[in-house]
Amino acid sequence: MWCERCKQRPATVHITQVVNNHKTESHLCVTCAQESGVAPGKELGFLFEPNFSFHNLLTSLMESEFGPQSALSPYQAGIERCSTCGLTFTDFRQIGLLGCGDCYQAFGRFLGPLFRRVHGHISHTGKVPKRTGGKVRIKKEIEELRRKLQEAIAREAYEEAARLRDEIRAKEEKLK
Amino acid sequence: MDLRKKIKELLPGWLEGPAPEGDVVMSSRIRLARNLQGYPFPHQADGKALETVVEKVKNALKRTTFTLKRLDDMGQSDRLLLVEQYLVSPDLLKNPSHRGVMVNPEQTVAIMLNEEDHMRIQSILPGLALQEAWEEANRTDDLVEAELDYAFTEKAGYLTTCPTNVGTGLRASVMLHLPALQMVGQVKKVLSVLSNVGLSVRGIYGEGTEAAGNLYQISNQVTLGLTEEEIIGKIVSVTKQVMDQERSAREALLGKDSRLQLEDRVHRAYGILSEARLITSEEALKLWDHVLLGVKLGLISGVTVEQVNELFFLIRPAILQHLIGSDLPPHERDYYRAEVIRNHLKTKRG
Ligand SMILES: [Zn+2]
Ligand SMILES: [Zn+2]
């Protein structure tokens, strides 16, 4: 049996993995096993993290979600690009890695279905960082206040508008 | 230098301390993936951005007891030592520039810098202590977060380089020693049941069919849409079920039909492990597995479980090399390995 990653050396490391009732077997040569982190060190392999197999899972899910790589329309392949880090959707499909935090926005419409396949969910329910998470909340509140401010100005309710302006300023101060 | 003292220095610090349910659970590990806002993820970042990440995290923790070890500042054998002590992943070594790890003095928490994500906060403890490991990792996360902005959105949670980690960024895992389930031929059946609950189980084996050392790792696959407590609770409850089954398998093996065979097997393993003059790490791990079972079941006396657990690390090449203090070609390694094992097993303790 040949290594399924490099297809150049005999497979001597065999990994069985079961996720959601789905059994996958990987057969790798020692070099590829080491490179993918399932067999560190020169001699005995021992496990650090099951990254490799999840990554495989991701690649196969992308095949089934978006079709084979070659089937991508030129639009998807070329133009779909994260403006912050420059990663294209094609790059992402090839390496299975995103390039920066803004990629989540740029490729959002592809990632949603992928999240559902990998995690069974699309929304985070766990820990929220106090700083970044707090800012997200404050920004949302400011947006809401600005909307109210426009309304107040339209109604010529100037006292209310002044009060809203102070509130916005106070919140913006918190963001600094 | 006193060998015993040297061994203590080389064994990972996290190995010390009590190991709850240590007869089955070897270790518990929590990993949190985190990235800093405003910087490309490591594989897209240039040296300058990577270095900024290292400096920022270092500064964020400057009032704590964490110290930074840069891979650039050490030789390859010292890097491999960190891998064998479970403080960094082999992936981190691929490109050592601007990579490093921040470790606390107890070595129970390690923050890998610029691996797949800017930060991988790991907490590892002996035995079944997933909740405690989570609390430690969480506290460390709070320390960094008090100083730095993370890449985070309310909807997707912590943004990670690989979408399989997004949300909590949490990978929780336990390493289990399941020799009896393997001997009674139940290990596959027991472990395949776990997949129904979204967990992943892995055993690694070389040639043949057995997982090396009969060690298995259970970890969560899902990181998004569950809270950290939910993920950990699931793994703990599943681990307890597997623990019960392994223990009943051990009971069964001690029954009159198989006891003699079991005794023969563990003592043969002990005989070779404690007397061999040349031994590879592969053979040592195979024998280690049986000896550990023998000691846990009280069939082998005069050796403690801790002593045998320590051997798991001492047989590994980089640790061995540090112990001997020189670069060893593989055949000499096998000689010194056998010697270290012999001495270690003969040291009476407990
Ligand atoms: Zn290969
Ligand atoms: Zn990007």
Side-chain angles (χ1 to χ4, degrees):
Chain A
M1 186 187 296
W2 294 99
C3 169
E4 60 187 35
R5 190 162 169 264
C6 66
K7 296 173 180 75
Q8 280 168 10
R9 289 175 289 261
T12 51
V13 179
H14 309 277
I15 303 146
T16 309
Q17 140 129 7
V18 189
V19 168
N20 286 338
N21 257 342
H22 192 78
K23 188 173 159 193
T24 50
E25 287 187 23
S26 314
H27 308 279
L28 302 170
C29 69
V30 175
T31 312
C32 288
Q34 282 171 2
E35 280 176 4
S36 35
V38 296
K42 273 225 160 53
E43 298 186 31
L44 254 185
F46 85 130
L47 20 144
F48 197 83
E49 201 160 304
N51 253 353
F52 169 72
S53 31
F54 289 149
H55 210 82
N56 264 5
L57 185 77
L58 182 71
T59 328
S60 64
L61 283 181
M62 282 205 262
E63 289 273 315
S64 72
E65 192 65 46
F66 309 121
Q69 293 253 13
S70 52
L72 275 182
S73 73
Y75 171 70
Q76 283 179 324
I79 304 163
E80 207 87 33
R81 174 187 289 273
C82 168
S83 58
T84 307
C85 72
L87 193 90
T88 66
F89 186 67
T90 312
D91 295 336
F92 169 59
R93 287 217 40 188
Q94 257 158 21
I95 56 176
L97 301 174
L98 295 161
C100 75
D102 293 340
C103 287
Y104 278 87
Q105 181 70 36
F107 306 125
R109 68 192 175 94
F110 300 113
L111 292 174
L114 207 59
F115 288 175
R116 205 176 280 287
R117 296 287 289 267
V118 176
H119 300 288
H121 306 269
I122 53 164
S123 299
H124 178 58
T125 56
K127 183 175 179 179
V128 174
K130 285 177 203 80
R131 282 163 61 99
T132 329
K135 282 190 182 178
V136 171
R137 264 196 295 274
I138 293 170
K139 274 183 195 152
K140 276 196 170 172
E141 286 164 11
I142 292 175
E143 273 169 35
E144 176 65 16
L145 287 171
R146 285 216 177 100
R147 200 183 50 73
K148 281 187 185 162
L149 177 65
Q150 292 308 319
E151 275 177 20
I153 293 170
R155 276 188 279 120
E156 298 184 13
Y158 297 115
E159 257 177 60
E160 195 187 335
R163 189 183 53 78
L164 286 166
R165 230 176 250 126
D166 288 346
E167 251 186 84
I168 291 170
R169 228 167 266 143
K171 287 206 189 286
E172 278 173 341
E173 204 55 42
K174 273 193 214 168
L175 280 180
K176 279 173 191 163
Chain B
M1 187 185 180
D2 175 17
L3 191 67
R4 186 62 218 148
K5 215 173 131 196
K6 211 166 174 186
I7 287 178
K8 200 172 157 1
E9 269 178 26
L10 288 170
L11 290 170
W14 60 263
L15 203 58
E16 278 178 43
E21 320 288 359
D23 58 327
V24 180
V25 188
M26 306 291 297
S27 58
S28 301
R29 184 169 170 268
I30 292 286
R31 179 276 271 158
L32 299 173
R34 299 288 188 257
N35 288 288
L36 304 188
Q37 201 177 67
Y39 297 89
F41 297 152
H43 73 101
Q44 282 284 99
D46 57 17
K48 200 173 148 237
L50 292 172
E51 193 50 40
T52 310
V53 170
V54 173
E55 285 301 322
K56 283 202 164 225
V57 178
K58 184 185 157 197
N59 279 331
L61 292 172
K62 67 170 179 253
R63 273 182 283 276
T64 68
T65 53
F66 280 87
T67 49
L68 171 66
K69 296 171 198 274
R70 282 174 185 274
L71 292 196
D72 268 341
D73 294 345
M74 54 176 92
Q76 184 67 3
S77 78
D78 285 333
R79 296 174 188 153
L80 288 169
L81 182 67
L82 291 174
V83 173
E84 291 182 8
Q85 292 172 329
Y86 263 99
L87 298 176
V88 310
S89 74
D91 274 351
L92 192 72
L93 272 50
K94 274 189 202 157
N95 184 357
S97 293
H98 313 292
R99 265 76 183 179
V101 61
M102 297 203 66
V103 188
N104 67 346
E106 300 79 25
Q107 297 189 322
T108 50
V109 183
I111 307 165
M112 271 197 286
L113 300 175
N114 291 329
E115 201 230 33
E116 188 177 282
D117 295 293
H118 292 151
M119 298 171 60
R120 288 277 176 103
I121 304 172
Q122 163 188 272
S123 171
I124 183 164
L125 292 170
L128 181 58
L130 215 44
Q131 183 61 34
E132 291 79 357
W134 155 243
E135 283 161 19
E136 254 199 278
N138 194 22
R139 268 197 302 276
T140 309
D141 186 41
D142 287 344
L143 288 175
V144 179
E145 186 219 292
E147 305 290 326
L148 300 173
D149 285 336
Y150 281 150
F152 177 91
T153 64
E154 256 176 323
K155 178 115 170 100
Y158 293 92
L159 306 180
T160 53
T161 308
C162 182
T164 58
N165 294 318
V166 78
T168 56
L170 167 69
R171 191 84 63 211
S173 61
V174 289
M175 198 200 279
L176 306 178
H177 183 222
L178 305 175
L181 278 176
Q182 196 277 327
M183 283 180 196
V184 302
Q186 292 285 303
V187 75
K188 282 209 171 119
K189 197 180 135 212
V190 168
L191 294 180
S192 67
V193 176
L194 309 190
S195 60
N196 302 337
V197 285
L199 299 180
S200 141
V201 186
R202 309 191 328 148
I204 293 200
Y205 42 96
E207 317 268 353
T209 53
E210 287 177 30
N214 280 312
L215 294 170
Y216 294 85
Q217 189 185 52
I218 298 181
S219 56
N220 62 304
Q221 184 211 334
V222 174
T223 58
L224 179 69
L226 297 174
T227 66
E228 290 80 0
E229 282 77 13
E230 284 168 337
I231 292 169
I232 289 159
K234 211 157 147 182
I235 294 184
V236 170
S237 81
V238 157
T239 300
K240 285 187 171 155
Q241 288 170 35
V242 178
M243 236 160 54
D244 287 346
Q245 310 214 46
E246 168 68 17
R247 283 173 185 157
S248 346
R250 289 180 190 179
E251 292 274 313
L253 287 172
L254 286 172
K256 67 174 181 351
D257 293 340
S258 50
R259 186 181 177 111
L260 193 58
Q261 268 183 313
L262 180 66
E263 280 189 29
D264 181 61
R265 205 191 272 203
V266 302
H267 279 105
R268 272 170 190 274
Y270 184 63
I272 298 174
L273 201 60
S274 57
E275 291 299 338
R277 294 305 191 260
L278 288 173
I279 197 162
T280 64
S281 58
E282 230 151 359
E283 185 186 7
L285 184 60
K286 235 176 230 168
L287 298 166
W288 169 87
D289 169 31
H290 287 159
V291 170
L292 184 58
L293 179 65
V295 174
K296 282 172 175 172
L297 293 177
L299 300 171
I300 296 171
S301 54
V303 191
T304 64
V305 174
E306 290 73 36
Q307 230 169 325
V308 183
N309 277 342
E310 288 167 1
L311 272 189
F312 179 72
F313 293 91
L314 296 181
I315 61 175
R316 309 195 53 76
I319 293 182
L320 192 69
Q321 214 145 78
H322 279 79
L323 201 55
I324 305 304
S326 63
D327 250 2
L328 298 170
H331 64 282
E332 280 187 41
R333 222 184 269 165
D334 293 348
Y335 167 77
Y336 283 110
R337 180 180 292 113
E339 189 176 275
V340 165
I341 295 172
R342 268 199 328 272
N343 284 331
H344 197 65
L345 287 175
K346 273 173 195 148
T347 319
K348 288 274 177 273
R349 269 193 282 163

